Amino acid sequence: MGNCSTKSLYDSIEACPGKKSLPGIRRRLYYIPKADIALFPKLKSAEGQEVQMKDLAVLDGDFTLLENKVWKFIDLKDEASNATFEGVGEEGSKVFNNQANAIVVGMSDEVKGFARQALNDDIVYLFQQRDGKFCLLGNEMFKTHTTPSGDTGTEPTGAITTTFAIQVYDECAVPTYVGKIAISATKYIDASDGTEQPYPQEQTPG
């Protein structure tokens, strides 16, 4: 025990009166096959210099993608999708079980084509909270499972929907991503503020 040392970063969590915390996630979900990612951003270590408790939930760096690869998107049903997390596992080996229900309107051929591919693939997803913060479902260590299901509805005024149940284990509860999201050869989304930006001419998404 004399050789063990653990840095503690516990801090107070203040709930300010009147502060809003809007539920749900925004309509556009970004995704990319893990095979198209050359390098993942990293979780910060508690042993790092000047690291605060909140920094442990934020990924450091950008995704490096293979040449000519970019993030695609799926537009979700308004006010229907959500993400959750919970701690699971045995003492000493506990991780977080990060999950989302991504609900899409309809059962189009495009939706079913994505379902056919994603069912046995390893897909990485980025969802955006109502406050604008981007969070990650997927990592280098564990496979992301995508389980599609569809419902044609029954009533004339009912809804036709497809649900993609997303599940992945992670060392962090739906970690926050503040880097670049490459959406084309010339543009990216800055996840730190949600703005769309042009790449400098000498740079590429990879």
Side-chain angles (χ1 to χ4, degrees):
M1 291 295 294
N3 295 324
C4 295
S5 63
T6 301
K7 185 176 179 181
S8 175
L9 296 179
Y10 292 109
D11 203 349
S12 299
I13 301 177
E14 184 177 13
C16 298
K19 182 180 179 181
K20 290 185 179 180
S21 185
L22 298 175
I25 63 178
R26 296 196 186 187
R27 187 164 172 255
R28 184 154 287 184
L29 175 72
Y30 293 89
Y31 76 90
I32 191 168
K34 185 187 284 187
D36 292 345
I37 300 173
L39 189 66
F40 277 77
K42 306 292 185 183
L43 287 169
K44 296 179 181 178
S45 169
E47 302 302 321
Q49 296 295 319
E50 300 181 2
V51 176
Q52 301 178 44
M53 185 171 74
K54 64 181 182 180
D55 299 328
L56 297 178
V58 181
L59 292 157
D60 190 19
D62 296 319
F63 282 94
T64 301
L65 307 183
L66 299 182
E67 188 175 2
N68 298 323
K69 300 300 182 181
V70 295
W71 292 79
K72 309 293 186 182
F73 67 84
I74 300 172
D75 281 339
L76 307 176
K77 187 176 187 292
D78 286 330
E79 301 177 0
S81 303
N82 72 310
T84 65
F85 69 83
E86 64 175 336
V88 295
E90 299 296 325
E91 195 68 36
S93 301
K94 290 183 178 181
V95 293
F96 287 96
N97 184 16
N98 294 337
Q99 300 185 64
N101 285 312
I103 301 175
V104 181
V105 174
M107 296 171 61
S108 68
D109 289 343
E110 289 83 1
V111 169
K112 291 187 287 186
F114 175 81
R116 181 180 176 185
Q117 295 181 98
L119 181 62
N120 290 298
D121 204 352
D122 192 351
I123 309 292
V124 175
Y125 299 90
L126 282 168
F127 69 88
Q128 192 177 18
Q129 296 179 173
R130 293 287 185 195
D131 62 4
K133 187 176 297 182
F134 282 88
C135 298
L136 181 67
L137 290 163
N139 55 75
E140 292 177 279
M141 190 181 304
F142 298 104
K143 179 180 179 179
T144 305
H145 301 274
T146 304
T147 305
S149 61
D151 186 348
T152 62
T154 56
E155 301 294 331
T157 56
I160 303 173
T161 58
T162 301
T163 299
F164 297 102
I166 302 165
Q167 183 275 326
V168 63
Y169 295 117
D170 204 316
E171 292 183 277
C172 182
V174 288
T176 300
Y177 179 61
V178 294
K180 294 182 176 67
I181 306 171
I183 55 175
S184 75
T186 58
K187 294 184 293 184
Y188 70 92
I189 294 172
D190 184 344
S192 66
D193 59 15
T195 60
E196 191 174 296
Q197 302 287 345
Y199 276 106
Q201 292 186 351
E202 67 275 9
Q203 292 188 11
T204 62

